[in-house]
Amino acid sequence: MAFGRVNPHFRLEDQGIEGLGHVYYNLMEPALVEASLRNGEGTLGNGGALLVSTGKFTGRSPKDKHVMASDTVADTIWWDNNAAMSPEGFDRLHQDMLAHMKGRDYYVQDLVGGADPAYAINVRMVTELAWHSLFIRHLLRRPVREALNDFVADFTIINCPGFKADPARHDCRSDTVIALNFDKKIILIGGTEYAGENKKSVFTLLNYLLPEKGVMPMHCSANHAQGNPVDSAVFFGLSGTGKTTLSADPQRVLIGDDEHGWSDRGTFNFEGGCYAKTISLSAEAEPEIYATTSKFGTVIENMVYDEETKELDFEDDSLTANMRCAYPLNYISNASETALGGHPKNIIMLTCDAFGVLPPISRLTPAQAMYHFLSGFTSKVAGTERGVTEPEPTFSTCFGAPFMPRRPEVYGNLLREKIAKHGATCWLVNTGWTGGAYGTGSRMPIRATRALLTAALDGSLNEAEFRKDPNFGFDVPVSVAGVAEVLLDPRRTWEDADAYDAQAAKLVAMFSENFAQYLPYIDEDVKAAAIG
């Protein structure tokens, strides 16, 4: 039996998904909260937030993501980064998942990925859990209700946490699987309750489709100046580097917190909501995000709370350090109504340097920008992926390797072309450690980071005196109002300058070793920006 609003000519039965129990199409937030509570999937929190646990998976499983290998995509997929699945394995996986679904209730959301209609895709999300339906309703863009009468999906995503894959039968790595089939326009997710797999599957789709249209897909947050969408900025970075926090600037308008496109028309958000980390979240430092944790329908993942009062504990990471909240973009008071912006005037590349070597901000030439974009240096933050319990230095090309189906140079060249065409200024910002490496030093003060970003975005930082960094060759400001000068020179923040030099040499060598893989694919000026 079907419930809710749907195109009468585009039901699941029309897609070969038959024999289900109740199917709930496009339920709105109150009904989804009710269903989640009725099904025992979560607990009602303060303000009507929904408190849920994702079980043993509290982060993404990038090694369990597969792309079906077909002649259509054989020459365009970056196979070193994307595990192949045979067509036969995918077909068996699809049929076995459909058999698993029979007799069970499912929740369907018909949504849109992309705020610019010229580049948007229609996505049908079919979920076993009501709270997953609520989550993705927040994170993607919601069509007006009348549009659902004619909605037809470009891609369908089926998520069955209760389904366990068989590696031998389905040609995958484990009983957890995320399988993309670009030919049949289907994504299958099984064996994990972590909701982030839903949104990142859509991001991966757009990362594959948009470059063919000349659009740069970006793992970044974005904002623009009050009353001036032309004055836009984007913030690249992996989870834990500060994309959500730093783009939620009360003095600027938030375009979005995680995934965007850069077309010939400007920037646009892929999503309709935010997915923010909540560890150590405070009303003082991040009042807007903090306030969402007690608003109706916000999904609170993996947080410890008082059983009686439902008060959240923002410091208790005993379940995971990757505890999060998902909420619609309109819960942020200064969010853009259109989710559109101009061509970025400033490009911020965020890195969490666990070595304590990089300065808090550096200005990059276009060649250096491509170098650092392809390098994608940061540190994996505890909890973001399975098995990561403390920061680990890593290189994730394009600041989002797990979501990049094409080779890195495709995205790097797109970025370089757009920087050259529109004249963006590029900055590398370290939100990681200062005064020593992880375990010895301390995390970069967020107030200092905000002050430096404010100066970069209002243009005043370009007027500062700069020095050349002896290790990386980029420009580093000597002094900035409101920021301790010693912080701008990381070597001076270490008690032992020789220890800093040794650590810096180690990091330089890591950069050089990692970047060697890109040398055959890049131009001479970018090679010149390479280290070593």
Side-chain angles (χ1 to χ4, degrees):
M1 184 175 296
F3 302 87
R5 186 179 290 240
V6 63
N7 179 348
H9 306 294
F10 190 64
R11 296 179 180 271
L12 290 184
E13 291 87 346
D14 301 314
Q15 297 179 265
I17 305 174
E18 300 177 322
L20 305 186
H22 296 107
V23 180
Y24 301 92
Y25 290 94
N26 296 305
L27 296 186
M28 298 179 73
E29 291 79 0
L32 289 170
V33 171
E34 287 180 342
S36 300
L37 297 175
R38 184 172 61 249
N39 297 343
E41 298 172 2
T43 300
L44 192 66
N46 289 322
L50 184 66
L51 312 178
V52 300
S53 166
T54 63
K56 70 174 183 177
F57 295 97
T58 58
R60 290 177 292 99
S61 299
K63 293 181 180 179
D64 291 311
K65 188 182 75 174
H66 302 262
V67 177
M68 194 201 78
S70 70
D71 293 341
T72 308
V73 301
D75 296 330
T76 54
I77 296 295
W78 180 23
W79 293 113
D80 290 343
N81 187 59
N82 293 269
M85 176 179 284
S86 66
E88 297 78 14
F90 185 91
D91 288 344
R92 288 191 291 267
L93 175 67
H94 190 196
Q95 291 306 311
D96 290 350
M97 189 172 283
L98 292 179
H100 163 87
M101 295 170 71
K102 291 186 182 299
R104 300 172 187 262
D105 294 349
Y106 277 83
Y107 300 84
V108 179
Q109 289 289 325
D110 292 327
L111 301 163
V112 176
D116 187 337
Y119 304 107
I121 61 170
N122 287 349
V123 178
R124 166 162 281 185
M125 183 71 65
V126 183
T127 63
E128 204 165 70
L129 298 174
W131 82 259
H132 273 197
S133 195
L134 177 63
F135 171 93
I136 203 64
R137 184 171 170 80
H138 289 334
L139 267 297
L140 290 186
R141 303 190 65 79
R142 298 166 293 283
V144 296
R145 299 295 285 176
E146 292 72 20
L148 297 173
N149 298 330
D150 302 308
F151 185 96
V152 176
D154 298 309
F155 280 83
T156 297
I157 302 174
I158 302 174
N159 189 324
C160 301
F163 175 84
K164 302 297 182 184
D166 179 339
R169 176 171 169 77
H170 301 134
D171 193 21
C172 56
R173 191 186 74 99
S174 73
D175 60 8
T176 298
V177 65
I178 302 98
L180 293 82
N181 187 325
F182 289 103
D183 291 355
K184 294 185 176 180
K185 298 184 176 182
I186 298 172
I187 299 177
L188 305 176
I189 303 173
T192 172
E193 293 183 39
Y194 184 66
E197 300 288 9
N198 296 312
K199 83 181 219 89
K200 289 305 184 188
S201 293
V202 178
F203 186 37
T204 303
L205 279 180
L206 291 166
N207 280 336
Y208 184 77
L209 298 172
L210 291 180
E212 291 184 344
K213 301 178 180 181
V215 177
M216 172 67 187
M218 304 179 290
H219 187 211
C220 70
S221 57
N223 62 27
H224 66 71
Q226 293 280 1
N228 186 10
V230 174
D231 184 2
S232 296
V234 299
F235 302 74
F236 285 103
L238 291 174
S239 293
T241 56
K243 290 195 317 300
T244 300
T245 297
L246 295 172
S247 58
D249 183 339
Q251 303 306 313
R252 294 175 66 85
V253 175
L254 178 67
I255 301 172
D257 84 321
D258 195 41
E259 301 168 6
H260 294 79
W262 186 357
S263 74
D264 288 339
R265 297 148 61 107
T267 52
F268 62 97
N269 193 355
F270 289 167
E271 300 184 307
C274 301
Y275 191 32
K277 291 176 73 75
T278 56
I279 188 167
S280 299
L281 188 65
S282 73
E284 293 73 30
E286 299 166 87
E288 291 265 24
I289 300 174
Y290 184 89
T292 68
T293 62
S294 58
K295 290 189 175 182
F296 181 80
T298 293
V299 177
I300 308 290
E301 284 185 349
N302 300 318
M303 287 193 69
V304 175
Y305 57 88
D306 185 283
E307 291 289 342
E308 183 176 358
T309 67
K310 303 300 185 287
E311 181 179 352
L312 301 171
D313 190 332
F314 292 90
E315 302 302 326
D316 190 335
D317 62 356
S318 57
L319 295 178
T320 177
N322 193 38
M323 49 197 188
R324 290 177 178 265
C325 63
Y327 50 88
L329 200 60
N330 64 282
Y331 277 8
I332 301 297
S333 62
N334 64 328
S336 167
E337 292 184 4
T338 64
L340 302 173
H343 299 290
K345 289 181 64 176
N346 288 280
I347 294 174
I348 314 296
M349 297 183 185
L350 300 168
T351 181
C352 174
D353 172 22
F355 283 80
V357 168
L358 294 176
I361 195 166
S362 314
R363 186 173 60 189
L364 307 177
T365 66
Q368 289 171 337
M370 186 170 177
Y371 175 82
H372 283 278
F373 181 70
L374 289 177
S375 296
F377 170 70
T378 190
S379 303
K380 290 181 181 177
V381 177
T384 303
E385 292 183 11
R386 294 167 55 195
V388 179
T389 58
E390 62 182 44
E392 297 177 0
T394 188
F395 292 89
S396 185
T397 189
C398 308
F399 295 99
F403 326 119
M404 301 296 151
R406 297 179 183 269
R407 276 205 59 86
E409 303 82 37
V410 172
Y411 308 104
N413 286 326
L414 268 172
L415 180 66
R416 184 181 181 188
E417 290 166 7
K418 292 188 179 298
I419 289 173
K421 183 175 181 179
H422 301 289
T425 302
C426 301
W427 307 89
L428 182 68
V429 173
N430 175 24
T431 62
W433 274 258
T434 183
Y438 171 79
T440 303
S442 57
R443 198 72 190 259
M444 195 71 68
I446 190 170
R447 289 185 179 180
T449 301
R450 286 193 183 280
L452 291 167
L453 281 174
T454 296
L457 297 181
D458 68 18
S460 61
L461 189 54
N462 275 318
E463 306 305 317
E465 178 187 353
F466 286 83
R467 64 176 178 85
K468 287 287 183 185
D469 183 88
N471 298 303
F472 293 90
F474 40 51
D475 291 339
V476 181
V478 174
S479 64
V480 178
V483 179
E485 283 192 22
V486 65
L487 200 64
L488 297 169
D489 185 351
R491 190 172 188 267
R492 291 172 57 197
T493 67
W494 283 52
E495 291 186 5
D496 185 340
D498 291 338
Y500 170 86
D501 292 339
Q503 191 80 310
K506 180 179 179 181
L507 186 57
V508 166
M510 287 181 64
F511 265 86
S512 298
E513 180 181 358
N514 171 75
F515 202 76
Q517 63 185 301
Y518 305 119
L519 293 177
Y521 306 99
I522 59 173
D523 295 336
E524 291 303 318
D525 60 338
V526 181
K527 290 180 182 179
I531 301 163

